[in-house]
Structure formats: structure tokens, C-alpha cells
Amino acid sequence: MAAAARDLSLVSQFCVAGSRLAALGKCGVHLLKKGRRGNAGFKVRAAVQLGSESEKATKPLEKTFGMDVVSEVGLREKGFMGLRKTKLVCTIGPACSSLNDLEKLALAGMNVARLNMCHGSRDWHRDVIRKIKMLNEDKGFSISLMIDTEGSQIHVVDHGAPSSLKVEEDSIWLFTAKNIEGSRPFTVQANYERFSEGIEVGDEVVIDGGMACFVVFEKTGNDLHCKCIDPGLFLPGAKFSFWRDGKLVRRNHRLPTLSTKDWADIDFGISEGVDFFALSFVNHADSVQHLKNYLSTKSTKSIKVLAKIESLESLHNLKEIVQASDGIMVARGDLGVEIPLEQIPTVQEDIIYICRQLNKPVIVASQLLESMVEYPTPTRAEVADVSEAVRQYADALMLSGESAIGSYGQKALAVLDMTSTRIESWAREENRQSLLNHYQLGVSLPDRTAEQICNCAVEMANNLGVDAIFVYTKHGYMASLLSRNRPNPPIFAFTKDESTIMALNLNWGVVPFQVDLSDDTESNISKSIEFMKSRGLIMHGDVVLVVSDVAPTRATPMASQSIQVKTIV
């Protein structure tokens, strides 16, 4: 454990270069730069009154604009500052896979549906995917789909019961890789035939990072005969690890990050049009890049790749993994098996900070409300844990077994929703908005300009107390840069690209809006405000800060980026 602690110092020592960006006053009132090639511009305009000339909401507009129905209802009922900014991910399992249950989760605020390929057949997952797409199409939701690869990990194929199983102290169990016909009590089937390689009598078998614990008292071939020394809960598909003298037993076998089954699951996900792949047990950036290269050749759709941080080795290579990925999942359950438990809180905070520095969304996952798998209310310690993740400005929180197999998945989601909203409100009241000592991401002048604009825009929005930030973006980059700064007002991202909408469902504080954008910035702004006024989503006296990024065209050969402040009249 001491060696692990020393190794973890690498994480806390990570510090990205760069200084805090210029204050708002240095942005200037009007700045326009031109180059000989690819002209770029940056303009800050004074407040503009948008009056009766723009009040032309028509039915055709509704065909070209689209907003998630839950966000629309929330905005109408709670106002701009009442919208929750932390995104919520739900793992879909047998407890919530019916169309009715999925709709209830959607209405309760689920932004992303996660499908864990460790469990269920592809036919089962296909059925869930199509139900969610049906809800999006017919009910007006905008739920993204994530597939979580199984990875080359050792886990339970069968433990003798169709659902969770309580393990009693001193009970005797057989761990085997042999194919079991039917259900056999007190017998655990592993998914890997060499699972017991290098394991000795006296070693401990730890289930799901501590849900239950066994000691090996006999080894027969590849089979392990074990006695329960710490009773607990055995979940379907549970992962297990081996410990000797208080240290994790490192195995000799070298399993690839993506197994043969994983590649088949990825092809399945591509064919079903999912939006994210969460890659399990990523230890090196190469694995992420390999999958991204594969997706670029196999899919016309932009599918994002998230890396799950769940090993000591992944922490050693954290910066490179974050840079290569489209986002990160802090898988605290498996990570807690590999590093001392007391280091999990600080490592979580470090990972969230690094992801913000490098502008990658980050999900905090595993055991957020674990007690709600069985009970209708969480422990107060669990609520405090959720609150801390929100206070650290994680982009998203994820339910695992709580929604997949628990009896109170909708209540668990409601706890995340209420807690996130309250802590976000408290942070605003206490003026605790966390400003970054920004790491410069862009290399080219346009990219650096976009960063500066978004940094200044958020500072300006907070100082002026505007109601919302509007951003017009094709691929979501400007929206992500604004989100990175964690502004007080919500960010409405207008884009015509559906893949961008689904990707932005994971970015903190961003409400994606589907709109048929033109090359005319002012026209885009007018049409979007007209639409929101027609739906009662924006009112007289509301003030919005508008950020736009217009690429050069024949009609407008100069690329321009601008900040405007508009008051609705």
C-alpha cells in the first residue's frame, strides 16, 4: 500500500502549464484582427434591444427547432437558474428496462442511458436501445446512449441466483471456470478459464471491492474452494480480485484492453447508432486511440470514446489517457480495489480537475447511492458523497446497480437530481464558482481565440448576472469551452448536428437545442429567440449573452467570433 501511495503522488503532482487568462477589461469593447489568410475576428458588442420586429414566431420554425421536453418543462416551471447543470447517467438493467420505466427515468431527468455489456444478451440491449430511441422520437426526449464494454476482467458469469444474493458468514463456496448446467447453489462460475492462475491457499477473494470476502482453503486444479469471512451481497456479474497479505495479487496473464467479445459489442453498438462507448480497464492512451481510429473507419456518425479510470496504471498515465479520450469515467469501485480506500476522495478530485483543465467531460460513478439497491432512502453519508462530487464540478453522476437491479431506481435518480440542484444553488449563493488557472488547449490562432472568447464570456456573464448564455456551434467545441468555465447561468447550445446534441448531453450546464443554422449569425439569433418566446421559455426583460463562431464562406469570407448581450423586450 505504501508503494501505491508513492505512485499516486504522480497524480497530485500533475500541474498543467498556463496562467489565468486576461480579465474582462482586457478583452476590449471592440477588437478585430485580420490576417492575410483565414481572417479571424473577435467582437464584443454593447447591449442590444430585441423588440417587436423579431416577434414573428411561426409554425415552420417549430419544425426546425428542437429541445428536450424535460429541459423545456423545467425551464418554464423553474426558470433559468432552476435548471440542474450536473448531468445524470442511469445504468439500464432488468429493474428498469420496460418502456414505462424508461419513460419514468427520462421524465425524472436521465440524460444518458448506459448499457453494461457485462450483463444481458445483445438482443436484450437492442430492445432497450430501440425503446429509448422510440421515446426520443415520439415523446420529445433527448437521451443519449452509452455502451460500457466488458473489458478483459475477471467476473462472475453465474452465482446460483437470478439476481442479487446474500452471502452468509462461514458458508462454503466453489469458484470454478467450468460451464455449469442450470443453477447450482454455492457455486460461482468465472468468465476466464485461468482465473485462479497464481492463487494460493490462504489468499482472499474480494467481491466488487468489498461487497463480500472469502478465503481460499483448498485449490483443486483451477477450482477454488472458499469460505466466506465477510458476509455481504453478491451481485450478478460481480467482479472479483485476489489479495495476499493485504496486497493486491497482480496476475501473470496479459489480457488486452478490448477482448474479442468487446469488438463484437462495439460493432453491435455502431450498427445500433449509440452515442458513447465507455472503455473498461484503460491503462494506456493507445487503447483509446485504437478504438477511435476504428470508429472513424466503421461509422459515419461521430461516436465519442470515454476511458474508465479504474486501475493504478491508468493513474500513472492519466494525462495522456484524458488527452486521447472524449471523456472520462471515474470508476471508483474497481479503483478502490487497486489503491488505498482513503485515497479515493483526493484522487477523484484530481481527476475531475485534470479533466476540466483539458476540457473533457468527467463522470463520477460507482456506489453513489449503493444502499438504495435495497432500501428506499439513502444514507446521509451517501448524500454527502454525492454533494462533494457536485461541489467538485463533475460533469455527470452515474447510477449503477441502483437503477439496473434496485427496487428504487427512480427514487435514487430523484435523490441525485435534488442534491445536485441544491448544491449548485448553494455554490452560486456562496459565490463559489471555481475559476481555473487555465491550461491553453488551442495551438492555432482561431482555437486560441475561441478559448479566450469563452473564458471572457463566462466572466462577463457572471459579472453582469445574465439569465442565460446562447452559443451557436457546429461540433459543440465552443459550448464545451463555456461549460469548462462552469458559469452561473445555463448554456443553451444551438446546433443542427444530432451527434453534437447527444455528445453535449454529457457536458455540465449545457442544454442542447437542435436548429437549422444558416451562415447569417443575426438571423440565427433572431430565429432562436423568436422560437423561445413563442414557447414561453424566455420573457420580457431577460438578458442573454450570445457567443457565436462563424466559419468563413463565399458569402462571408471572414471568419468571425463574437460576444453580444441582448435584452428581450
Side-chain angles (χ1 to χ4, degrees), residues 72 267 332 463 566:
E72 182 173 339
D267 286 335
R332 303 182 304 176
N463 289 341
K566 291 184 176 288

Side-chain angles (χ1 to χ4, degrees), residues 116 118-120 150 153-159 161-164 188-189 191 207-208 234-240 334 405:
N116 188 352
C118 289
H119 313 291
E150 182 174 319
Q153 57 185 310
I154 302 174
H155 65 83
V156 171
V157 174
D158 188 14
H159 58 26
S163 58
S164 59
V188 176
Q189 182 184 347
N191 70 321
I207 304 301
D208 276 341
F234 219 142
L235 301 177
K239 303 165 191 172
F240 49 94
D334 288 301
I405 60 172

